[in-house]
Amino acid sequence: MLINMFALKPNVHYAIYIVLVLTLMYTVAPGVAGYGIKECYINDTWVPVPPGKMCCQGTLEPQEDKDCCYGKDSNHVYYPRHNICCEGRVMPRYIKDSGRRVERTCCNNKALVINETMQCCGDEVVNRHDTLCCHDEDNPGKVATHVSGPYFSCCGIKVIDVRVQQCGWMKGKELPVQPHHQVCGRQHINLRTHKCCLGRVHDVPHLNPHNIGELNPDVRCCGQTVYNTSRQECCPGSSLVGTVVDRAEHLACCGQGFPDTRHQLCCMGRAVTKTSPQDKCCGPQSYNPRTHSCCGNTPFNTLTHYCCSGSLSQPLRKGQDCCGGFPIVRHQLCCFGTTPVNISSTQDDSCCRKDSTIRTYNSTLKSCNHYTGDIETRISPLDDTCEGTHYLPDEAVCCDGQVHHFPPGDTLGCCRWHSKQTVYSETSQMCCKGHLHNVSSHEAECCRTQAYKLYSGHNPCLACTQEDVLPPHQMCCTNQTYHTWYDGDACCGHVPYFSQEYTCCNGQVRSRQQSCEHTPTRSAQNSSPCSHGFPLMVTLMVVVRMVFMHSTHASL
């Protein structure tokens, strides 16, 4: 369809087609992550992206902590915890550098090792010891750099000298303010003459008039109001205004009142009368700790009761059993440590849950099918059940509701993916997210739903390429990064070796004294630059160039 759309025709203006191509690219691939895409272009159709999925260049993938990397490697799904996307290529996040495991990030389309010296500031790599990097809160991509120093600090995207400036907020943005000044609401105030209480300005000095290096000890904020600390008391309450009352001996704030602390306690915002000087609060009530204790929000007599803790903590009479906060009586079993259940037989010792119903059973004679929730009779003490059929797990497997017995010399597994279940041979097959492959797990490994030979350079989940390493002290052998000082200076397949002592012969490392019929393999990876696919942006530039050249010739 796109070929017919861009077929060159005389006397036709192609600017509208160019805009359409750019719009299509931006919609399908707006960045390196597929999470922000609301629709996905699949098989010439726009398909909504359902929850839990992401669009990766025309393919819906489960999110599962994954991202999509766009570029010359086409659509590459990768795990950001283990890899980074840089210049359209997936690279290992962690590599070995001088024998140490270091982390990398992408800065200006280049892989940068994160360390104590260098940092990424916008599109620039700077030295964090001598350069200060300041970011704009409203536009994270907008940054500014400044010479670092002990007295310089960021205030939004601006740099301030903390010796003569402070950083404040006004209208949701950071801005520098002078010493002894403050932003209060929408005003700049002088703290020598004014005080700010939750955005409200008061005509009292915030700083001590006799020593501006200290706070004014005579006034404080009570919500949005001020009060004199020597004559008044503040009860903040739940409003911004607060409640200010004249200070009096033995009075304290409690909800909306001021109880006398000599005769009352404040329990959960309520004034409660004391019965003894030792009284404490237990929820909204008081108790004497010499004779009582607190269980949840209920006081109890420690001589006759104890606290049964759980989802509902409550005092129980001594002699009663406790099960998750509930009393348990005779002929009951405490199931799953939380729920008392009436037993079906005096020999029952286990519980089985089916939907919201819990039943008890004797585990010596019966078993619980946790898949269906049914209680079934055991044939032997070691058997298990599969849709009502008993089997021994060492001799068979339950898959898709049926028992499959192991053939001689083989074991079987069940390949499960959502509701799909397929039985397979574990010695000759492997399961990759519900997809079977005729290769043993000892010879291959999974990458999403596909199987690849071990150490295969075609495995997209193994992101190491020769361009990803940091020469001259590192190299890439198929899918692993090695240090040339400790591991070797050449590759033989996926194995590093030292070329002065050994040689690579038909994929095997041999001593140089041994003969080899073929030329030693020294390359880290036999890959062509074209194997990564021609970059999409380069293709677009060629199309645009051809269109304008044709339009120019047509006009002539």
Side-chain angles (χ1 to χ4, degrees), residues 15-78:
I16 184 63
Y17 295 119
I18 299 172
V19 175
L20 180 59
V21 171
L22 292 172
T23 304
L24 180 61
M25 287 184 59
Y26 179 80
T27 305
V28 177
V32 298
Y35 296 115
I37 304 175
K38 301 303 180 183
E39 290 186 331
C40 198
Y41 196 69
I42 304 175
N43 297 329
D44 299 333
T45 305
W46 289 104
V47 178
V49 178
K53 299 280 188 177
M54 70 173 184
C55 180
C56 190
Q57 198 155 332
T59 304
L60 289 178
E61 290 276 349
Q63 288 185 356
E64 298 177 356
D65 300 329
K66 295 183 291 189
D67 266 348
C68 186
C69 183
Y70 297 89
K72 66 179 182 180
D73 284 341
S74 186
N75 55 330
H76 260 290
V77 178
Y78 72 102

Side-chain angles (χ1 to χ4, degrees), residues 180-259:
H180 310 309
H181 287 69
Q182 183 181 0
V183 176
C184 184
R186 297 177 177 270
Q187 303 179 50
H188 266 105
I189 63 172
N190 188 333
L191 297 180
R192 294 185 180 92
T193 57
H194 292 79
K195 186 176 183 65
C196 180
C197 293
L198 296 179
R200 179 175 292 180
V201 180
H202 297 275
D203 294 330
V204 292
H206 176 77
L207 301 176
N208 190 338
H210 306 291
N211 183 2
I212 61 173
E214 300 177 352
L215 298 180
N216 189 343
D218 298 328
V219 292
R220 290 183 183 175
C221 291
C222 183
Q224 288 187 321
T225 63
V226 293
Y227 70 99
N228 189 300
T229 57
S230 60
R231 304 191 308 269
Q232 296 174 307
E233 188 80 23
C234 173
C235 292
S238 58
S239 64
L240 294 177
V241 177
T243 304
V244 178
V245 297
D246 292 336
R247 184 184 295 274
E249 190 176 1
H250 306 305
L251 293 182
C253 296
C254 184
Q256 301 299 320
F258 305 92

Side-chain angles (χ1 to χ4, degrees), residues 491-495 503-510 516 518-521:
C491 297
C492 185
H494 64 276
V495 179
T503 184
C504 181
C505 182
N506 299 330
Q508 295 183 350
V509 178
R510 294 184 179 181
C516 182
H518 302 286
T519 304
T521 303

Side-chain angles (χ1 to χ4, degrees), residues 111-399:
L112 170 68
V113 175
I114 301 176
N115 54 35
E116 298 82 4
T117 304
M118 308 307 294
Q119 67 173 333
C120 185
C121 186
D123 292 335
E124 183 181 1
V125 179
V126 298
N127 189 314
R128 66 174 72 244
H129 294 308
D130 55 29
T131 305
L132 198 62
C133 181
C134 300
H135 299 263
D136 189 346
E137 290 282 340
D138 297 331
N139 184 8
K142 187 178 181 181
V143 298
T145 57
H146 192 273
V147 176
S148 181
Y151 303 111
F152 295 124
S153 177
C154 290
C155 183
I157 198 171
K158 297 183 179 180
V159 178
I160 61 173
D161 188 335
V162 296
R163 295 170 296 184
V164 295
Q165 290 178 300
Q166 295 178 346
C167 189
W169 282 80
M170 178 177 283
K171 298 180 182 180
K173 292 186 177 181
E174 292 178 304
L175 73 165
V177 294
Q178 300 301 318
H180 310 309
H181 287 69
Q182 183 181 0
V183 176
C184 184
R186 297 177 177 270
Q187 303 179 50
H188 266 105
I189 63 172
N190 188 333
L191 297 180
R192 294 185 180 92
T193 57
H194 292 79
K195 186 176 183 65
C196 180
C197 293
L198 296 179
R200 179 175 292 180
V201 180
H202 297 275
D203 294 330
V204 292
H206 176 77
L207 301 176
N208 190 338
H210 306 291
N211 183 2
I212 61 173
E214 300 177 352
L215 298 180
N216 189 343
D218 298 328
V219 292
R220 290 183 183 175
C221 291
C222 183
Q224 288 187 321
T225 63
V226 293
Y227 70 99
N228 189 300
T229 57
S230 60
R231 304 191 308 269
Q232 296 174 307
E233 188 80 23
C234 173
C235 292
S238 58
S239 64
L240 294 177
V241 177
T243 304
V244 178
V245 297
D246 292 336
R247 184 184 295 274
E249 190 176 1
H250 306 305
L251 293 182
C253 296
C254 184
Q256 301 299 320
F258 305 92
D260 188 333
T261 57
R262 295 171 297 180
H263 309 294
Q264 292 177 304
L265 287 172
C266 182
C267 300
M268 296 182 68
R270 293 177 51 192
V272 180
T273 302
K274 288 183 178 181
T275 60
S276 69
Q278 297 83 23
D279 278 7
K280 294 183 178 180
C281 288
C282 181
Q285 307 176 58
S286 65
Y287 72 97
N288 188 338
R290 292 182 176 179
T291 58
H292 290 68
S293 187
C294 185
C295 184
N297 288 329
T298 307
F300 66 93
N301 191 322
T302 55
L303 295 177
T304 58
H305 292 72
Y306 75 101
C307 184
C308 178
S309 301
S311 58
L312 177 65
S313 296
Q314 57 178 314
L316 296 183
R317 185 174 295 275
K318 289 185 176 181
Q320 283 185 300
D321 291 328
C322 174
C323 180
F326 298 95
I328 184 171
V329 298
R330 191 178 180 184
H331 304 307
Q332 282 187 329
L333 195 65
C334 185
C335 293
F336 312 111
T338 59
T339 309
V341 178
N342 295 327
I343 60 177
S344 305
S345 171
T346 56
Q347 296 180 342
D348 287 357
D349 58 359
S350 299
C351 304
C352 187
R353 187 194 302 273
K354 184 175 184 179
D355 298 328
S356 59
T357 304
I358 301 176
R359 295 179 295 166
T360 64
Y361 66 95
N362 187 337
S363 60
T364 304
L365 305 175
K366 299 181 179 181
S367 64
C368 176
N369 187 329
H370 297 287
Y371 182 76
T372 62
D374 295 327
I375 298 176
E376 302 166 346
T377 303
R378 287 185 181 274
I379 297 177
S380 69
L382 299 178
D383 73 344
D384 209 337
T385 57
C386 178
E387 294 289 337
T389 302
H390 294 265
Y391 72 99
L392 294 176
D394 293 337
E395 300 178 359
V397 65
C398 177
C399 193

Side-chain angles (χ1 to χ4, degrees), residues 382-440:
L382 299 178
D383 73 344
D384 209 337
T385 57
C386 178
E387 294 289 337
T389 302
H390 294 265
Y391 72 99
L392 294 176
D394 293 337
E395 300 178 359
V397 65
C398 177
C399 193
D400 200 20
Q402 296 183 356
V403 177
H404 302 268
H405 292 276
F406 297 165
D410 196 1
T411 58
L412 301 179
C414 189
C415 186
R416 297 180 175 91
W417 183 251
H418 301 301
S419 60
K420 179 183 176 182
Q421 297 184 18
T422 307
V423 67
Y424 69 98
S425 169
E426 293 183 333
T427 58
S428 60
Q429 294 177 303
M430 66 183 301
C431 174
C432 297
K433 287 190 175 181
H435 291 70
L436 288 179
H437 302 276
N438 294 324
V439 61
S440 170

